[in-house]
């Protein structure tokens, strides 16, 4: 990145300052919220392919106003202290926005996971976890990691196993990490949670007729066009669920190897299959290859979903962005010094700290499941379905009509874990947007949704700090 841009953490601070001006909160309190409370930088040796490599890694706890702290662990060559600090800060605001009672944290290991064998990745992950245990930087009531870019359920299972090895007999040990495989104390629906949350959020945002009119759009998500950058866990599920459940048309995709455009719609599963077979999204039947990797970002569309890494929309390409809505599925995809250009063009930016909060929301459900030692739905599923059975039978008796077997099974079903997770997520995304929008509508000085989201978060975090009694 060239020197003139603010760093990622500076971008977050800049956005924070812009919002802080609208809160009227005391300076000292704002300063305490803004800083990173604890930064643990570590270096440890791991034998990779017969040679010792010194691995650089981090865990940052941004805010302890609520415990545990929470946030994913990223494996990427781009990992550095500034990035992990920025991501940890975003976690604090994200958790507050969706009323998840955690402080923010983030971890990162500077490796390219694709260049490591599974065995080597396991060694690195276990060693990293051991370092966290040694410094008391992990635990169900202390700091709870989760997947992020370059990590998934497999790494979380290694973290749990390492933790349990050291903390033998700790009854809530399973809550030391989330995003685990379902078979190892994970929760159904966690893998797709961030992408599903993006869909629920967009559907809610687009349900306000007046707001959409200002963008030149009709109300409702159905029939709108979408472009996605990044077909990882977040981008893939955001595209998949928006097209299948929301009737959105996916017209463009940007990936590492290039961009494609297909105005009549892309079947994302067919594209994934094509990529698996050919090693690339390019040359997808019926689609046009675009000359440059990021070109799809500049396509004319209703919704642009950057779901890869930070700093993708820069002062350089911002003037050419033609989307009406930018849904920040990744963390920090819009550089702070590109934002003004986008807002001036009348583009609505739905900020990362709200729109990608589905992941941590379902992580919260997983953590609760681990602490309760019981699957959601176990107590009430059968009771509810028996009650609905009785109701349906009574209606049949009173009307003299019989309800068909298919309808009957829909009407009498008790909720499973996945139903409860998805409904909890849906409720969370809807409620959080309404709170942000209320801030936006009731403060004419606030001109964008990021500032409104920040103000919503700051009001909640500050009241937690006030409860401590040290701030006036
Ligand atoms: N890494 C995800 C995020 O950036 C999820 C964090 C979590 O579940 O704790 O929000």
């Amino acid at each position: 990145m060239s020197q003139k841009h603010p760093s990622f953490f500076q971008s977050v601070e800049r956005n924070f300052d812009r919002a802080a001006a609208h809160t009227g909160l005391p300076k000292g309190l704002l300063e305490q919220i803004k800083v990173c409370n604890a930064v643990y930088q570590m270096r440890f040796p791991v034998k990779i392919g017969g040679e010792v490599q010194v691995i650089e890694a981090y865990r940052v706890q941004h805010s302890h106003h609520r415990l545990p702290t929470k946030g994913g662990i990223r494996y990427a060559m781009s990992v550095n202290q500034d990035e992990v600090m920025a991501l940890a800060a975003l976690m604090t605001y994200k958790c507050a926005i969706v009323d998840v009672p955690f402080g923010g944290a983030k971890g990162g290991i500077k490796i390219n996971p694709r260049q490591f064998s599974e065995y080597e990745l396991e060694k690195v992950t276990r060693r990293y976890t051991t370092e966290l245990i040694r410094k008391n930087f992990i635990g169900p009531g202390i700091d709870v990691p989760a997947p992020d870019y370059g990590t998934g359920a497999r790494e979380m299972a290694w973290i749990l196993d390492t933790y349990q090895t050291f903390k033998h007999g700790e009854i809530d040990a399973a809550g030391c990490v989330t995003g685990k495989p379902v078979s190892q104390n994970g929760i159904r629906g966690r893998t797709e949670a961030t992408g599903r949350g993006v869909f629920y959020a967009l559907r809610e945002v687009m349900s306000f007729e007046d707001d959409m009119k200002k963008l030149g759009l009709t109300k409702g998500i159905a029939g709108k066009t979408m472009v996605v950058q990044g077909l990882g866990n977040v981008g893939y599920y955001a595209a998949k669920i928006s097209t299948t459940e929301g009737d959105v048309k996916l017209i463009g995709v940007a990936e590492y190897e290039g961009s494609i455009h297909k105005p009549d719609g892309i079947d994302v599963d067919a594209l994934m299959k094509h990529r698996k077979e050919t090693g690339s999204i390019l040359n997808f039947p019926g689609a046009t290859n675009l000359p440059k990797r990021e070109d799809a970002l500049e396509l004319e569309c209703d919704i642009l979903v950057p779901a890869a890494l930070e700093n993708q929309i820069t002062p350089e390409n911002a003037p050419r962005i033609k989307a009406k809505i930018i849904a920040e599925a990744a963390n920090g995809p819009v550089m702070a010094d590109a934002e003004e250009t986008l807002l001036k063009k009348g583009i609505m930016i739905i900020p990362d700290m709200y729109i990608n909060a589905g992941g941590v929301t379902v992580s919260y459900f997983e953590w609760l499941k681990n602490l309760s030692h019981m699957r959601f739905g176990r107590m009430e599923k059968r009771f509810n379905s028996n009650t609905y059975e009785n109701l349906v039978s009574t209606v049949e008796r009173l009307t003299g009509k019989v309800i068909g077997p298919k309808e009957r099974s829909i009407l009498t079903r008790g909720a499973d874990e996945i139903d409860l997770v998805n409904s909890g997520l849906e409720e969370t995304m809807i409620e959080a947007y309404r709170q942000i929008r209320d801030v936006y509508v009731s403060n004419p000085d606030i001109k964008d949704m990021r500032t409104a989201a920040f103000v919503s978060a700051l009001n909640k975090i500050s009241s937690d700090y006030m409860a401590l009694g040290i701030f006036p």
Side-chain angles (χ1 to χ4, degrees):
M1 203 198 331
S2 93
Q3 206 58 44
K4 61 183 169 22
H5 298 301
S7 75
F8 189 9
F9 188 60
Q10 283 166 341
S11 272
V12 175
E13 288 195 309
R14 199 191 270 197
N15 292 331
F16 177 101
D17 291 339
R18 198 171 69 208
H22 296 278
T23 61
L25 291 166
K27 196 164 162 279
L29 174 54
L30 287 168
E31 192 55 31
Q32 173 55 53
I33 297 174
K34 191 169 149 184
V35 295
C36 282
N37 287 5
V39 180
Y40 177 22
Q41 182 190 125
M42 63 200 102
R43 300 272 204 282
F44 50 80
V46 180
K47 213 173 207 173
I48 307 288
E51 296 240 339
V52 171
Q53 264 192 39
V54 180
I55 308 281
E56 176 184 334
Y58 302 87
R59 183 73 185 172
V60 172
Q61 295 172 353
H62 172 261
S63 179
H64 294 137
H65 69 290
R66 293 225 178 176
L67 288 171
T69 51
K70 188 87 191 76
I73 299 176
R74 173 172 291 200
Y75 289 4
M77 280 313 284
S78 57
V79 164
N80 59 58
Q81 186 171 317
D82 182 90
E83 182 192 60
V84 186
M85 284 167 68
L87 293 166
L90 287 174
M91 286 308 303
T92 294
Y93 311 124
K94 195 182 299 189
C95 289
I97 284 166
V98 287
D99 288 319
V100 163
F102 299 143
K106 203 77 167 202
I109 306 186
K110 190 179 172 176
I111 53 167
N112 178 354
R114 288 194 202 132
Q115 285 171 356
F116 284 60
S117 68
E118 187 169 24
Y119 172 67
E120 289 161 354
L121 281 174
E122 180 174 348
K123 275 209 291 189
V124 171
T125 307
R126 287 185 183 277
R127 179 61 196 259
Y128 175 75
T129 311
T130 310
E131 296 296 326
L132 296 180
I133 295 167
R134 287 206 320 203
K135 288 282 189 295
N136 211 17
F137 256 61
I138 184 170
I142 299 170
D143 187 355
V144 181
D148 198 80
Y149 191 86
T151 59
R154 179 184 64 174
E155 285 74 14
M156 304 308 117
W158 292 330
I159 292 174
L160 173 62
D161 188 59
T162 310
Y163 185 84
Q164 280 174 322
T165 307
F166 283 88
K167 307 272 177 170
H168 180 68
E170 193 178 285
I171 191 155
D172 290 329
C176 78
V177 62
T178 60
K180 303 179 289 292
V182 176
S183 59
Q184 280 165 70
N185 290 291
I187 197 165
R188 286 162 189 82
R190 174 63 187 83
T191 311
E192 63 269 37
T194 312
R196 178 168 285 286
V198 170
F199 166 63
Y200 288 145
L202 279 170
R203 199 189 55 190
E204 184 60 17
V205 167
M206 300 183 85
S207 72
F208 291 90
E209 193 161 7
D210 290 352
D211 301 355
M212 290 306 104
K213 224 188 235 163
K214 282 186 202 141
L215 301 174
L217 289 172
T218 54
K219 174 184 159 173
I221 193 168
K224 300 296 189 299
T225 55
M226 179 182 271
V227 170
V228 173
Q229 182 198 33
L231 284 179
N233 188 41
V234 179
Y236 166 71
Y237 282 110
K240 165 105 182 149
I241 297 169
S242 299
T243 49
T244 53
E245 293 180 31
D247 208 14
V248 163
K249 206 200 271 184
L250 179 69
I251 60 155
V253 173
E255 246 301 342
Y256 183 77
E257 62 274 13
S259 272
I260 58 165
H261 183 205
K262 190 169 180 289
D264 62 347
I266 297 165
D267 174 337
V268 70
D269 282 329
L271 180 61
M272 294 296 272
K273 191 164 166 268
H274 170 82
R275 191 179 193 211
K276 208 167 170 193
E277 284 163 8
T278 67
S280 169
I281 61 165
L282 296 174
N283 305 319
F284 181 62
T288 316
N289 295 337
L290 301 176
K292 285 201 283 14
R293 192 205 286 189
E294 300 87 6
D295 278 353
L297 292 173
E298 297 170 23
L299 288 170
E300 188 134 10
C301 64
D302 299 323
I303 311 158
L304 172 62
V305 184
L309 285 171
E310 60 267 19
N311 298 337
Q312 298 303 302
I313 302 177
T314 65
E316 197 276 313
N317 65 4
R320 299 191 300 276
I321 302 287
K322 295 177 206 74
K324 304 230 163 53
I325 297 174
I326 297 177
E328 293 188 324
N331 290 308
V334 173
M335 272 186 178
D337 52 1
E339 182 134 349
E340 204 49 44
T341 309
L342 301 170
L343 295 175
K344 274 206 188 110
K345 285 168 68 131
I347 297 173
M348 184 184 205
I349 303 174
I350 314 295
D352 44 10
M353 62 180 77
Y354 161 63
I355 204 157
N356 72 31
V360 77
T361 301
V362 176
S363 276
Y364 170 47
F365 301 156
E366 180 176 332
W367 180 78
L368 291 174
K369 174 185 183 180
N370 296 150
L371 298 195
S372 71
H373 300 265
M374 191 164 55
R375 160 174 61 82
F376 287 106
R378 179 170 172 180
M379 298 293 273
E380 65 274 37
K381 179 179 166 168
R382 193 62 47 190
F383 177 82
N384 286 342
S385 84
N386 288 342
T387 307
Y388 306 146
E389 273 292 346
N390 289 336
L391 213 71
V392 167
S393 302
T394 307
V395 170
E396 283 180 332
R397 207 179 56 247
L398 291 175
T399 59
K401 291 186 178 143
V402 176
I403 291 170
K406 202 169 156 210
E407 273 173 310
R408 192 181 190 99
S409 78
I410 293 171
L411 288 170
T412 59
R413 207 164 70 86
D416 277 319
E417 182 172 82
I418 185 69
D419 304 312
L420 294 167
V421 164
N422 287 345
S423 95
L425 175 60
E426 183 175 8
E427 167 62 18
T428 302
M429 297 310 291
I430 292 174
E431 179 55 28
Y433 187 66
R434 295 197 179 164
Q435 289 177 11
I436 294 169
R437 193 175 174 276
D438 276 353
V439 171
Y440 178 73
V441 172
S442 57
N443 291 278
D445 293 348
I446 296 179
K447 305 277 187 244
D448 63 294
M449 285 298 166
R450 190 187 314 281
T451 305
F454 251 117
V455 169
S456 172
L458 289 176
N459 287 336
K460 295 180 193 179
I461 299 165
S462 60
S463 60
D464 280 342
Y465 270 111
M466 302 283 198
L468 295 176
I470 42 171
F471 293 98

